Amino acid sequence: MEKIMENLPSYLFYFCIFFLPAILTLVITLKATGWKRLLSWGHFALLVLPLAIAGGGGMILSAQGLSWRSCVKLPCGFAYVAGVTLLLLQAAAFLWRKIAWWRPVARGFGRCAIFAAGAFLCLTLTWYGLIFSAIWAGRDRVETFKGRTAVAEQTWTDWDVYAYHSPLIRGAARLGGYN
């Protein structure tokens, strides 16, 4: 319990980064009607499925000393980034629709607030893109390493080698590497 309390700020930080967009999309989905509700459920799935597959499935695999291969991680990462981008575009569309209400205020402080919100949205999008390109930028291939079937995963300029388990799963422990 003490360790949980010690790491509580980092847990809250990661919760906000990854789960807050899904929660916001769920709120939008529950308020939507008609065909917008159907689109909102698709958007919600675009955010939740990668979290369930890569996050929840990754935790289950990690407990067994395994990890997802790139063919699972990359689509999950790109789907999540697409969902966050769509959420940011929805926020921009909402602000655009409400601009008539903002016009009297927009002469001073309102313009600064709108500019700051736009800058924040751009920085957030960049942050998500950098996270997923840094974590899941590699590709992998199956090869023989020291007489065993292994998965070589590219990390920037090097290749790290892991045990092969299936077309979707590799070992979590690094067996070696090469350039």
Side-chain angles (χ1 to χ4, degrees):
M1 183 68 173
E2 189 175 307
K3 187 174 181 178
I4 291 174
M5 294 305 291
E6 182 180 304
N7 294 327
L8 187 62
S10 62
Y11 293 149
L12 289 174
F13 176 75
Y14 287 115
F15 177 81
C16 288
I17 284 179
F18 294 111
F19 290 104
L20 195 58
I23 292 169
L24 289 173
T25 304
L26 180 62
V27 169
I28 292 169
T29 301
L30 295 176
K31 288 186 175 198
T33 59
W35 64 273
K36 288 183 181 179
R37 188 176 195 130
L38 182 64
L39 291 176
S40 293
W41 278 115
H43 183 200
F44 180 69
L46 195 62
L47 287 167
V48 171
L49 287 177
L51 289 175
I53 293 169
M59 287 175 32
I60 292 169
L61 289 174
S62 175
Q64 298 173 358
L66 302 171
S67 180
W68 291 116
R69 288 186 54 189
S70 293
C71 63
V72 175
K73 292 189 290 187
L74 283 171
C76 286
F78 288 133
Y80 188 78
V81 169
V84 169
T85 303
L86 187 58
L87 184 63
L88 294 176
L89 289 174
Q90 280 182 319
F94 176 78
L95 284 176
W96 185 261
R97 283 191 308 265
K98 301 298 180 183
I99 198 76
W101 179 79
W102 282 79
R103 280 193 190 140
V105 181
R107 297 219 185 334
F109 178 73
R111 281 189 182 173
C112 292
I114 290 172
F115 178 75
F120 176 74
L121 292 177
C122 290
L123 287 173
T124 303
L125 181 61
T126 303
W127 172 254
Y128 278 108
L130 287 174
I131 285 175
F132 286 110
S133 66
I135 294 173
W136 292 328
R139 58 187 173 115
D140 63 20
R141 62 182 181 216
V142 178
E143 59 184 40
T144 303
F145 182 77
K146 296 183 180 177
R148 314 176 41 177
T149 303
V151 176
E153 188 173 86
Q154 186 178 14
T155 55
W156 302 109
T157 59
D158 297 332
W159 290 85
D160 292 333
V161 180
Y162 301 92
Y164 176 86
H165 286 276
S166 78
L168 301 176
I169 299 172
R170 65 167 172 82
R174 186 175 175 268
L175 300 176
Y178 60 89
N179 290 338

